[in-house]
Amino acid sequence: MTYMAKQGTSFEDYWRGLENRAKARGPRAFAEFERLGHRYRIGADLSALRIQKGLSQTEVATRAGIDQAEVSRIERGSTNATEDTLARIANALGADIAVVPRTLVNA
């Protein structure tokens, strides 16, 4: 179960909380948060799809041929996953990796 599911919050609420904590720690922390934000978004997207499909991290890891701990780190945004690893996880979830224009994501 992800932090968001435990807390009953949306990703946007979670994201704002992370952003606020980074701002409170100062300009350097906030700059680092902005630089690494893509990790959190990708992780949240993968976690949401996994939960939607009713799969555990262990099931996804087994299908993708990686460790459950790696799935957990990716979902939390705490690791810099390779493209190959992300593709294996996406495939395990019946999805593809795609680059989407920001205007479509933020619409």
Side-chain angles (χ1 to χ4, degrees):
M1 181 174 281
T2 66
Y3 169 84
M4 291 176 289
K6 286 182 200 170
Q7 300 299 317
T9 61
S10 70
F11 178 74
E12 290 308 317
D13 292 338
Y14 175 70
W15 187 258
R16 277 190 289 279
L18 290 175
E19 184 176 36
N20 290 337
R21 280 186 294 236
K23 284 180 182 176
R25 291 183 179 159
R28 291 180 69 194
F30 186 68
E32 185 75 357
F33 169 78
E34 286 188 317
R35 188 179 73 77
L36 299 176
H38 62 282
R39 291 185 189 175
Y40 295 103
R41 291 230 178 246
I42 290 169
D45 287 347
L46 291 172
S47 176
L49 183 57
R50 176 182 61 76
I51 291 166
Q52 177 187 353
K53 294 196 173 265
L55 298 171
S56 68
Q57 288 181 346
T58 301
E59 290 169 317
V60 170
T62 299
R63 291 179 183 191
I66 62 174
D67 291 335
Q68 176 275 327
E70 182 69 4
V71 173
S72 177
R73 285 189 294 272
I74 292 167
E75 287 187 0
R76 286 178 307 183
S78 66
T79 189
N80 189 14
T82 66
E83 180 185 348
D84 287 343
T85 299
L86 293 174
R88 291 166 71 174
I89 292 171
N91 187 55
L93 294 169
D96 294 313
I97 295 176
V99 176
V100 180
R102 288 187 182 118
T103 55
L104 294 177
V105 173
N106 296 324

